[in-house]
Amino acid sequence: TLTISVAPVLAAAAHAWSATGRLAWAPVLAALVASMAIQIATNLFNDAADGARGHDGPGRLGPPRVTALGLIPAREVTRAALVMAGLAALAGLVAIAYGGWPILVIGVLSLAAGWSHSNGPLPISATPVGEVFVVLFFGVAAVCGVVYLADPATVSATALVLGVALGLPAAATLTVNNHRDRAEDARNGRRTLAILIGARGAGRLYAALLGVCVVVVSVLAQREAGAAALVVAAPGGAATLVLARQFLATPIGRGLNALLARTALFQLLIAALYASVAIGARALA
C-alpha cells in the first residue's frame, strides 16, 4: 500500500502545475520521499508495538510481521522505524527550506501521528477515528502541503477538497484492514470503526468512501476541463462497483489482503486520472 504516499503528491503537483504552469521540483520530490518514509516508519512502529504486546498471534490474517514471527526483536524494528523517521526528517528539511513553518508543522504532526498509531496511552489504531486521521494526513495534509510547496499561490478551497477526496480511498484501505482483523482486534480490546458498525456497515462505508471520491474528483475534473470529467468518472465508477462487490463477496480472512492492495491502487488510479486531466487542460490552455 505504499502508493498511498505517492498518489496525493502526484495529484497535488499536477493541480499546482495546471494552475500556474510552474512547479518547484526539489521540494515536491523531498515531500514525496518524506511521505513514503513516514508511511514505512508507521508500519514498522506498528509491527514492533503490536508484536511486543502479543497482539499479532499465530492466527493473524494480515501479511506476516517480523516481530510476531520472532525474526527480529521489537527493539530492532523500532530502531528501523526511527531510521525511517530520520530519513523523513532529513527530506523534510529540504521542504522546510522552501515552505517554512507551515511545512514544519505538517511534518512534525505527521511523524507524531505515525508513532501514535500503535503507541502511547491511547493508540489511534485502537479507536474508531483511524479513518479520520488517514483522511487528514494521507489526504488533506499531503495534498495541501505539496500544493503549497509547488506554488503557495495555488493553495485554495479546490486543493482542500482534492485532499479530502484523495484521502477517502486511503481511509478505505484502513477499513479493509480493520474489517479483516475485527475478531482479533476485539479480543485485544480495540474498538475500531469497522467493529462498531459491524461487517455490513463496514461494506457500506467502504463503498461510500470510494464512491464519494470518484464523484468529487470528477467534479473537480469537470472544472478543470469540462467533458474530461468522464476520464475520471467512467473508470472510477466501474472500479468502485467492482471493489465494493469484492468487499462484500470476500469472506473475512487472508483473501482480503489482495483487496487491500487493490484499494490502494484505486487511489493511485484516481490520482493519475485527475493528473492527466489537469496536465492536459494546462497543455491545451
Side-chain angles (χ1 to χ4, degrees), residues 9 14-15 31-32 113 118 120 132 134 136 141 160 169 179 195 204 209 218 220 223 228 231 242 270 274 282:
V9 177
H15 171 74
L32 175 61
S118 289
V132 175
V134 170
L136 287 176
L160 176 62
H179 174 64
I195 291 174
R204 294 194 185 103
L209 290 170
S218 297
L220 294 178
R223 294 182 60 186
V231 172
V242 170
I270 298 301
Y274 171 81
R282 181 66 194 186

Side-chain angles (χ1 to χ4, degrees), residues 87-157:
L87 174 60
L90 287 175
L93 289 176
V94 177
I96 292 167
Y98 281 81
W101 69 265
I103 303 303
L104 173 62
V105 171
I106 290 175
V108 171
L109 291 178
S110 297
L111 285 169
W115 180 84
S116 300
H117 190 263
S118 289
N119 291 280
L122 184 61
I124 296 170
S125 61
T127 71
V129 298
E131 280 84 354
V132 175
F133 272 82
V134 170
V135 172
L136 287 176
F137 286 98
F138 286 97
V140 176
V143 170
C144 291
V146 170
V147 167
Y148 182 84
L149 284 170
D151 190 326
T154 58
V155 178
S156 63

Side-chain angles (χ1 to χ4, degrees), residues 123-233:
I124 296 170
S125 61
T127 71
V129 298
E131 280 84 354
V132 175
F133 272 82
V134 170
V135 172
L136 287 176
F137 286 98
F138 286 97
V140 176
V143 170
C144 291
V146 170
V147 167
Y148 182 84
L149 284 170
D151 190 326
T154 58
V155 178
S156 63
T158 299
L160 176 62
V161 172
L162 179 62
V164 172
L166 285 177
L168 296 179
T173 65
L174 182 62
T175 299
V176 177
N177 182 84
N178 292 343
H179 174 64
R180 180 199 65 206
D181 294 341
R182 62 175 54 251
E184 187 173 17
D185 284 348
R187 285 195 299 270
N188 292 326
R190 290 178 171 173
R191 291 295 178 266
T192 63
L193 185 57
I195 291 174
L196 293 181
I197 63 179
R200 182 170 294 183
R204 294 194 185 103
L205 173 63
Y206 177 81
L209 290 170
L210 300 189
V212 172
C213 168
V214 171
V215 170
V216 173
V217 176
S218 297
V219 171
L220 294 178
Q222 175 75 21
R223 294 182 60 186
E224 292 276 359
L230 293 174
V231 172
V232 177

